[in-house]
Amino acid sequence: MFSRVLIANRGEIAVRIARTCRELGIEPVMIHSTADAGSAALRYAEDVVCVGGDRAAGSYLYIPNVIEAALRSGADAIHPGYGFLSEDPYFAEICEDNDLTFIGPSPQVMEKVGSKAVTRELMAAAGLPLLPGTRDAVATVEQAHAIAADIGYPLVIKAVAGGGGRGITMVRRREDLSDAYRTTRATALATFRDSNVYIERYLDHARHIEVQVLCDAHGNGVHLGERDCSVQRRHQKLVEEAPSPAVGPQLRSTLGPLAVRGALSIGYRGVGTMEFLLDDEGNAWFMEMNGRIQVEHPVTEMVTGVDLVREQILVAAGHPLTARQDDLTPRGHSIECRVNAEDPDRDFAPTPGRLTVFEPPAGPWTRVDTHCTAGSTIPPYYDSLIAKVIVWAPDRAQAIARMKRALAEFHVEGPGIATTIGLHQRIMDAPEFVDGTVHLDFLSTFAQPSLPESRPA
Amino acid sequence: MSAEKRSNEPAGDLGSLTDHAVDLVGRLPGHVNRVRVASGGSEIEVEWASAAPPAAAVAPAAPSVTPPPAGVPAADAAPPQATAEAGAQAGLVSVSSPVVGVFYDRPSPDDPPFVAVGDRVSVGEQVAIVEAMKLMNPILADVAGEVVAIRAAAGEAVQFDQPLIDIRPLEG
């Protein structure tokens, strides 16, 4: 087992990883930028190293400093968390070159998973259902039109190297396709340094269902059930739950093994997620694979009793899986709300600054993953996630009641600080959410009572 | 580890004591934790950081926080290491490390150091090396002036922005 693990991340996930490290008897080392020098997250580390300036490019993403920090602090392994370097095959390779175990899949598998077009091809070969669309990147606008004529509208143009909801353009009409194609390629080049795009049929009124898989380095794989992440704003998840109200035991018993088969077919190792779109006929279509721990992993942990970070570390240390598929039936219901320091009344503008009051909820089956405390400063340079509130209850109705109670206890204040707590409270009350019928278009049409009404001139 | 030196010579006033303390810290090898310079009866006491893991210095303490609700540990769970004070004394400029790596005060073990306390340096003059990923990064003086303190020891792991050499800039 590793004696020291360097956590190449920040914020709530750094704390999350450090905690499981401690439980395994591993000393956590944390890196930080100058902007995060006062972060309360650092208190959970045995050792800390400043790796650069405020901008992520010069610190959390600056590979030479991250590697040196690991070598100088005596770390055996690096946990990349999510975002940052977690899906960078080059970084995984450099870890290997420096005899540091990268906690995640191999660089070669990462390359495959990182290309949407390649994963579509490989998953189709493994028997996963795909929406009509291209397997290869679309090279010209003429090709785009030809494909569109074949698969029909609405369709979506997606960056091959994309992620985090960026580099995606939806097209409803043929007249808009050429412009959308060119714009998406330009965005992809600027954001991901790869202008390749692929095209896929777009499903109106679908739900985002993702299956958690766990594979070891010995060819074993299990699934831990699905999550429903249909409450999204601009492709960013806000609320997640497990299990999905739209997935019954039969679909779960089909989708789970399919997800495992797909992961094992590409030699996946560690925790991973297979994303699907579920249409109203109950068909699930493979979208993409995520080769890292995800923000919303806690809801799966709550319904299965499995510590996913612990499993990641054990797999990376070479242990075979001990969990058996029969033991992994989800029990009860879990919901997570992502609390961001953003103002929903000002188009979710981020509100960095100092927290004078930070009182998170607690109580029965109420979990809060955070790095913040009263006195913390939220820097403007990174994402705006300040806490995840997660609840578990024996059934979905009780889970909603528990989340509402927890959100009401959550007090956050600071000069200029706003949060999405109020928005989450309104979502918990929304009829579609209570009925479990939320689809991906839910939040964009969700009434915001505090917005002023616009009247025609 | 610590060392004491006693003398019967009368020491000077407070300003002079401060100068002595700063001078000591600059001249002593290793990472100095604490210096005590007494007056009547004279006394010097030096305490070095423990020799334990070659870890980099801890970040400056978090701003004062109210005791947090359940879940956040108390302050005594903080990493137990030597503190690297951020900026230098007033009037001094610190040359700090641009990378995470290992500090070296000389081109090779057989060479003399680039600079010693008391040396005059010009802008752009090399004063140290920080090795990272097998690359020897030259550390250059940002200002012209006199070297007042060398704040890292040869072979010590240093982090981004860690002060390495303190320089008192030339007037004008």
Side-chain angles (χ1 to χ4, degrees), chain A residues 19 44 47 49-50 65 68, chain B residues 55 71 73 81 100 133 159-160:
Chain A
R19 284 175 158 149
Y44 294 79
D47 195 355
V49 183
C50 181
N65 279 359
E68 272 294 319
Chain B
Q81 285 139 4
V100 177
M133 305 293 281
Q159 49 187 343
F160 176 84

Side-chain angles (χ1 to χ4, degrees), chain A residues 346-360:
Chain A
R346 290 188 299 126
D347 201 32
F348 295 85
T351 61
R354 193 159 170 270
L355 298 171
T356 52
V357 174
F358 188 84
E359 292 165 1

Side-chain angles (χ1 to χ4, degrees), chain A residues 31-369:
Chain A
I31 60 170
H32 67 90
S33 64
T34 45
D36 278 331
S39 170
L42 302 179
R43 298 181 203 166
Y44 294 79
E46 189 64 28
D47 195 355
V48 302
V49 183
C50 181
V51 290
D54 305 338
R55 305 274 162 199
S59 52
Y60 296 103
L61 295 172
Y62 189 59
I63 293 176
N65 279 359
V66 175
I67 296 288
E68 272 294 319
L71 295 173
R72 297 306 138 214
S73 63
D76 318 280
I78 295 185
H79 195 307
Y82 52 70
F84 287 143
L85 297 168
S86 65
E87 291 173 295
D88 188 336
Y90 177 56
F91 177 64
E93 208 180 304
I94 296 183
C95 288
E96 271 182 12
D97 291 346
N98 285 277
D99 290 321
L100 295 162
T101 303
F102 177 84
I103 298 175
S106 67
Q108 298 74 20
V109 169
M110 247 198 209
E111 295 237 30
K112 292 181 196 167
V113 174
S115 163
K116 305 286 179 297
V118 168
T119 15
R120 278 175 56 89
E121 170 101 43
L122 293 170
M123 294 305 160
L128 274 72
L130 261 53
L131 277 174
T134 58
R135 301 221 187 143
D136 305 316
V138 181
T140 65
V141 67
E142 291 75 29
Q143 230 181 63
H145 279 278
I147 290 160
D150 194 26
I151 67 173
Y153 291 85
L155 54 79
V156 63
I157 308 171
K158 288 186 180 178
V160 162
R166 294 168 301 163
I168 300 178
T169 311
M170 207 257 288
V171 182
R172 290 203 177 276
R173 309 175 309 162
R174 183 155 30 105
E175 307 84 88
D176 301 328
L177 182 61
S178 301
D179 278 347
Y181 174 80
R182 291 190 195 101
T183 310
T184 313
R185 292 208 68 172
T187 306
L189 183 63
T191 317
F192 308 109
R193 294 187 314 267
D194 178 348
S195 71
N196 285 307
V197 297
Y198 69 101
I199 290 179
E200 208 169 59
R201 186 77 165 75
Y202 180 77
L203 284 185
D204 273 317
H205 214 62
R207 309 176 71 129
H208 175 117
I209 306 294
E210 56 187 41
V211 178
Q212 181 71 61
V213 300
L214 170 62
C215 306
D216 64 21
H218 309 271
N220 305 305
V222 293
H223 72 90
L224 290 95
E226 80 287 348
R227 294 183 285 263
D228 191 315
C229 312
S230 303
V231 181
Q232 296 186 14
R233 176 184 171 266
R234 294 192 188 161
H235 308 287
Q236 303 280 308
K237 300 164 185 170
L238 264 73
V239 177
E240 307 99 349
E241 58 183 311
S244 166
V247 175
Q250 186 163 6
L251 179 57
R252 182 170 303 118
S253 66
T254 315
L255 219 49
L258 257 182
V260 173
R261 192 197 317 165
L264 290 176
S265 76
I266 60 167
Y268 196 78
R269 183 181 72 210
V271 303
T273 300
M274 294 289 186
E275 291 187 358
F276 297 88
L277 283 185
L278 190 68
D279 65 26
D280 280 339
E281 280 90 57
N283 301 308
W285 306 93
F286 172 77
M287 284 289 106
E288 65 185 57
M289 180 173 188
N290 294 316
R292 61 178 190 274
I293 191 87
Q294 292 203 256
V295 175
E296 60 270 22
H297 75 275
V299 296
T300 297
E301 295 188 320
M302 299 293 257
V303 297
T304 58
V306 172
D307 180 332
L308 286 168
V309 174
R310 174 191 156 94
E311 297 304 315
Q312 275 186 297
I313 294 173
L314 290 174
V315 162
H319 295 254
L321 292 182
T322 48
R324 301 174 318 142
Q325 192 62 67
D326 293 339
D327 301 329
L328 296 170
T329 312
R331 189 179 151 259
H333 202 92
S334 178
I335 301 174
E336 171 183 280
C337 287
R338 297 193 193 186
V339 177
N340 294 324
E342 291 171 349
D343 191 345
D345 294 343
R346 290 188 299 126
D347 201 32
F348 295 85
T351 61
R354 193 159 170 270
L355 298 171
T356 52
V357 174
F358 188 84
E359 292 165 1
W365 293 280
T366 304
R367 165 178 167 177
V368 180
D369 283 17

Side-chain angles (χ1 to χ4, degrees), chain B residues 12-101:
Chain B
D13 59 1
L14 195 58
S16 169
L17 284 175
T18 310
D19 285 343
H20 283 304
V22 169
D23 190 41
L24 249 184
V25 172
R27 283 197 281 128
L28 288 166
H31 209 118
V32 174
N33 233 5
R34 197 167 59 86
V35 160
R36 174 180 146 80
V37 183
S39 175
S42 299
E43 180 180 313
I44 298 177
E45 184 180 310
V46 181
E47 180 188 303
W48 279 269
S50 71
V58 78
S64 68
V65 293
T66 58
V72 181
D76 62 352
Q81 285 139 4
T83 43
E85 289 301 294
Q89 278 189 325
L92 300 182
V93 170
S94 286
V95 179
S96 32
S97 183
V99 292
V100 177

Side-chain angles (χ1 to χ4, degrees), chain B residues 76-157:
Chain B
D76 62 352
Q81 285 139 4
T83 43
E85 289 301 294
Q89 278 189 325
L92 300 182
V93 170
S94 286
V95 179
S96 32
S97 183
V99 292
V100 177
V102 180
F103 173 84
Y104 293 109
D105 64 349
R106 60 198 71 201
S108 82
D110 305 319
D111 288 312
F114 288 104
V115 293
V117 171
D119 286 353
R120 288 289 168 92
V121 293
S122 353
V123 174
E125 187 175 328
Q126 181 166 5
V127 294
I129 288 171
V130 175
E131 184 230 329
M133 305 293 281
K134 313 276 196 299
L135 288 175
M136 301 294 174
N137 298 286
I139 306 300
L140 311 177
D142 311 289
V143 295
E146 181 191 326
V147 176
V148 166
I150 299 174
R151 296 179 53 185
E156 180 185 327

